[in-house]
Amino acid sequence: MVRGGTYAAIDVGTTKVTTVVGEVTSEADLRILGVGVAPSGGISKGMVENIRDATDSIRVSVDKAQRSSGTRILSAHVGIAGSHIGCLNNRGIVAIPDRARPIGQEDVARALDGARIISIPTNRQVLHVVPRYFIVDGQDHVTDPLGMYGQRLDVEAHIVTGLETAMQNLTKCVESVGVQVDSLVLEPLAAAESVLQQEEKEEGVALVDIGGGTTDIAMYLEGSVIHVAVLPVGGNHITRDLVVGLRCPYQSAELAKEKYGHCLPSTVEPEEEVELAAFGSEGQKAVSRRRICEVIQARVEEILEMVMTEMKRAVHDDIMSAGLVLTGGTAKLAGIEKLAEEVTSLPARTGVPRNIHGLTDTLTDPAYATSVGLLQWVVREEEAAAWARRPRPGFIAGDGWLKKVSNWARILLPE
């Protein structure tokens, strides 16, 4: 959080570090106050590999965001990814001791604590316990049990775990620049907040965030998350394929991908050529644009096939009616939606951050879905916590005995 009650989020990616500062307006919209983007260093496949370089990149990004917003960032919510991420679904069950009082927030907390009790290796840590739905006395798929009456409360929760050392390394990098870490948030869950529509979550959708070093997946069904995964492959692998295929420097291959790349080579004229910087004595050479597109198509197809394999591990792909929502920097490749539909036989669209105002020129881009989503995740979590704390008619805090004593006193003692 920064001064003035606004929020800050840091997305530490493989290719860039993005710091975003925002506030919630009186209309409950998210207003962006400042953005800081810096090239990423010391990060490989979503994980810290060089503390000093990663810290320097974060410092530059935070400084830019502070200048842009005119505020000082004291603490922030930080996105985390990497192939070390794991997930499973688990159930927590609690008894409601007093039939006369409604279910309260402490009952929900006890149920979630019960779902958190899982057997994991000592080097792993629970990152999120996301409630999928509740069951009250056998009544299934209750979205909010607060205020209801029942004797037994079950919660079906999605548990996300990560490698403890990976979390510690990332936290150390952020805190080394003088910013406290309020929370670590799994990046695909954050990206889903900014680009997915509620109807898509209800009918079944897979968010596919293709970043530089990883491809993050978050699958939703019946309004809640059912599976998350992080694949160790991304847009940088496409660029490296071009380096090998075209025998050119990395920056030249990156430029070719962004400027001339297309996921459907058949849409490019066979005789079209482009000039690129290349290795060798001349330093420049003409390259077939279709050849560039063929290399891109091969790697994107492989990524999409890996996504489908991961999806089939969780559910039958036929029930994912809303298909895929592609985001991340690689989602800007021309023709990727059409190729995704051909490979997966599912609907596909590109997702950009929604429901934001203010300094949005930079952020209305698939590459910043996670950065914006981190802020939206935090705002939603705080709204949910405030909703849970609201006073309810007929409910007295405690285990219910205070209410009983009050009622007995009213009956037995004269006024």
Side-chain angles (χ1 to χ4, degrees):
M1 185 174 287
V2 298
R3 292 175 179 172
T6 54
Y7 303 94
I10 304 176
D11 172 18
V12 184
T14 303
T15 57
K16 67 183 185 307
V17 178
T18 306
T19 302
V20 182
V21 180
E23 67 176 357
V24 180
T25 66
S26 57
E27 292 80 18
D29 290 327
L30 182 62
R31 180 169 174 262
I32 304 299
L33 301 178
V35 182
V37 183
S40 183
I43 305 292
S44 176
K45 298 181 180 179
M47 298 174 64
V48 176
E49 66 171 10
N50 185 307
I51 292 284
R52 185 181 62 184
D53 291 348
T55 300
D56 290 343
S57 298
I58 294 170
R59 180 179 289 108
V60 172
S61 175
V62 169
D63 288 346
K64 287 182 177 180
Q66 289 181 146
R67 290 196 298 269
S68 175
S69 62
T71 57
R72 179 160 181 260
I73 299 175
L74 303 176
S75 62
H77 302 268
V78 180
I80 186 170
S83 56
H84 64 97
I85 295 295
C87 71
L88 67 143
N89 295 317
N90 195 35
R91 179 169 293 194
I93 305 171
V94 296
I96 309 300
D98 185 358
R99 301 182 186 181
R101 73 164 176 85
I103 295 170
Q105 180 59 31
E106 70 275 9
D107 300 312
V108 174
R110 286 193 297 122
L112 289 172
D113 285 341
R116 181 187 286 267
I117 301 173
I118 56 174
S119 177
I120 57 175
T122 56
N123 65 341
R124 298 188 68 80
Q125 183 176 324
V126 174
L127 183 62
H128 294 295
V129 180
V130 184
R132 296 180 56 212
Y133 59 84
F134 297 88
I135 304 172
V136 180
D137 283 357
Q139 180 182 347
D140 207 354
H141 283 80
V142 175
T143 57
D144 184 3
L146 294 176
M148 298 178 66
Y149 289 87
Q151 294 179 268
R152 170 174 158 162
L153 175 66
D154 298 24
V155 60
E156 186 73 19
H158 190 68
I159 316 294
V160 180
T161 67
L163 197 62
E164 187 173 12
T165 52
M167 299 182 195
Q168 291 171 336
N169 290 334
L170 180 59
T171 300
K172 179 180 179 180
C173 291
V174 175
E175 293 183 345
S176 295
V177 304
V179 177
Q180 293 298 309
V181 176
D182 286 329
S183 67
L184 294 176
V185 181
L186 184 64
E187 293 188 349
L189 294 180
E193 286 292 320
S194 68
V195 302
L196 294 186
Q197 301 169 2
Q198 186 58 36
E199 185 175 1
E200 291 173 329
K201 293 182 180 181
E202 292 289 343
E203 301 303 333
V205 66
L207 173 104
V208 182
D209 184 350
I210 312 177
T214 62
T215 295
D216 305 338
I217 305 169
M219 298 174 61
Y220 288 79
L221 186 64
E222 297 179 342
S224 58
V225 61
I226 59 171
H227 185 70
V228 296
V230 179
L231 306 178
V233 61
N236 288 354
H237 293 78
I238 300 174
T239 306
R240 296 197 180 279
D241 289 346
L242 290 171
V243 170
V244 174
L246 305 180
R247 292 183 172 84
C248 64
Y250 186 90
Q251 290 302 323
S252 178
E254 184 70 19
L255 175 64
K257 180 181 73 174
E258 295 176 356
K259 190 173 181 179
Y260 307 113
H262 203 292
C263 292
L264 300 174
S266 58
T267 62
V268 177
E269 295 295 331
E271 62 276 5
E272 184 177 355
E273 292 187 341
V274 297
E275 288 286 331
L276 292 179
F279 292 118
S281 57
E282 295 184 1
Q284 291 279 337
K285 71 174 180 179
V287 177
S288 166
R289 187 185 173 194
R290 175 169 283 195
R291 173 61 179 159
I292 296 173
C293 299
E294 288 171 348
V295 173
I296 292 173
Q297 180 192 34
R299 178 62 80 168
V300 174
E301 280 185 351
E302 181 187 16
I303 293 174
L304 293 169
E305 287 167 358
M306 293 172 67
V307 169
M308 283 300 295
T309 300
E310 190 65 37
M311 288 174 61
K312 290 176 181 178
R313 286 181 53 197
V315 297
H316 197 285
D317 55 299
D318 286 347
I319 67 174
M320 305 300 284
S321 302
L324 309 180
V325 175
L326 306 172
T327 191
T330 306
K332 295 187 291 184
L333 279 172
I336 193 169
E337 296 173 350
K338 182 66 175 175
L339 181 60
E341 291 181 344
E342 291 179 0
V343 172
T344 66
S345 300
L346 293 172
R349 72 173 180 89
T350 300
V352 298
R354 303 176 298 116
N355 302 325
I356 55 174
H357 304 282
L359 301 176
T360 60
D361 291 343
T362 302
L363 299 178
T364 51
D365 184 303
Y368 297 98
T370 298
S371 310
V372 174
L374 285 169
L375 285 182
Q376 294 176 333
W377 169 278
V378 173
V379 170
R380 183 181 62 79
E381 289 286 295
E382 294 212 353
E383 288 177 348
W387 172 258
R389 292 192 300 266
R390 76 195 191 283
R392 293 174 178 80
F395 177 75
I396 298 179
D399 290 331
W401 65 271
L402 186 59
K403 183 179 178 181
K404 287 184 178 180
V405 171
S406 176
N407 289 339
W408 290 337
R410 192 177 297 112
I411 294 171
L412 297 176
L413 299 178
E415 295 183 359

